[in-house]
């Protein structure tokens, strides 16, 4: 039998400000600026959550975890991702792979990627070789280039066998 295979897309942006910690893909990265948001503002995990929810046609991260809900104030986005993974699992979905691109002029992301893969692998219960994390700049162009914010895109493949 042919498995039911779906793909999903996620995109998110958060503003960079002084006086906030920078969290990306579940780890804290030393930097002079951090991302502003109701939760820890982990833009990469948010994009990944939306890719997974989108693949399953289960709405989006704001639908499940509204930023008006005090429960999610300062929330660790790893918990949101764990909740998304559980929701997919309850609906019979398994995760094939995920691919994330982080658009940031600074700081350098590449040294942190193996640790990020491990963190996401543990939460999603899939091999780290199924989680791709990539970093790019936008050549100093636009809001990411001016270091006003960080953007993240993600795709995910899910299946029922
Ligand atoms: Mg967000």
């Amino acid at each position: 039998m042919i498995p039911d295979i779906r793909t999903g897309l996620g995109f998110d942006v958060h503003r960079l400000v002084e006086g906030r910690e920078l969290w990306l893909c579940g780890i804290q990265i030393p930097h002079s600026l951090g991302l502003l948001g109701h939760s820890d503002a982990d833009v990469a995990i948010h994009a990944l959550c939306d890719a997974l929810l989108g693949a399953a046609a289960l709405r989006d991260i704001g639908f499940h975890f509204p930023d008006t809900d005090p429960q999610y104030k300062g929330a660790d986005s790893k918990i949101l991702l764990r909740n998304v993974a559980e929701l997919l699992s309850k609906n019979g979905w398994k995760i094939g792979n995920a691919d994330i691109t982080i658009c940031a002029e600074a700081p350098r992301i590449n040294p942190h990627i193996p640790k990020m893969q491990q963190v996401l692998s543990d939460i999603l219960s899939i091999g780290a070789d199924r989680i791709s994390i990539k970093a790019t700049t936008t050549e100093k162009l636009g809001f990411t280039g001016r270091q006003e914010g960080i953007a993240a895109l993600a795709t995910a493949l899910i299946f029922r066998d």
Side-chain angles (χ1 to χ4, degrees):
M1 203 176 96
I2 300 170
D4 188 357
I5 301 173
R6 313 272 181 96
T7 68
L9 167 71
F11 173 69
D12 196 25
V13 169
H14 280 266
R15 185 186 296 270
L16 276 168
V17 295
E18 289 178 357
R20 290 270 300 183
E21 294 173 348
L22 178 60
W23 287 84
L24 289 169
C25 289
I27 66 168
Q28 190 184 351
I29 296 176
H31 191 46
S32 55
L33 304 171
L35 292 172
L36 184 64
H38 185 67
S39 65
D40 65 8
D42 188 327
V43 66
I45 284 191
H46 294 180
L48 177 57
C49 285
D50 266 357
L52 292 166
L53 290 169
L58 288 169
R59 304 289 299 262
D60 58 40
I61 191 171
F63 177 82
H64 293 282
F65 316 109
D67 64 8
T68 51
D69 187 337
Q71 184 185 342
Y72 302 116
K73 183 162 170 49
D76 180 344
S77 293
K78 293 190 285 294
I79 293 168
L80 308 186
L81 181 60
R82 191 167 290 123
N83 289 349
V84 167
E86 279 171 14
L87 184 62
L88 262 66
S89 178
K90 269 186 212 149
N91 282 272
W93 295 110
K94 294 176 182 170
I95 299 166
N97 75 300
D99 186 17
I100 300 168
T101 296
I102 299 168
C103 304
E105 199 64 37
R108 280 181 52 75
I109 307 295
N110 280 324
H112 304 287
I113 286 178
K115 172 80 177 152
M116 291 170 162
Q117 284 176 295
Q118 196 53 56
V119 168
L120 299 183
S121 161
D122 288 346
I123 296 170
L124 299 177
S125 303
I126 61 172
D129 63 335
R130 292 174 181 269
I131 298 168
S132 159
I133 300 166
K134 312 187 300 298
T136 187
T137 71
T138 51
E139 298 286 333
K140 297 191 164 58
L141 294 169
F143 70 86
T144 52
R146 292 188 297 270
Q147 299 184 49
E148 295 167 1
I150 292 179
L153 304 102
T155 65
L157 183 143
I158 63 172
F159 63 98
R160 286 178 176 136
D161 52 13

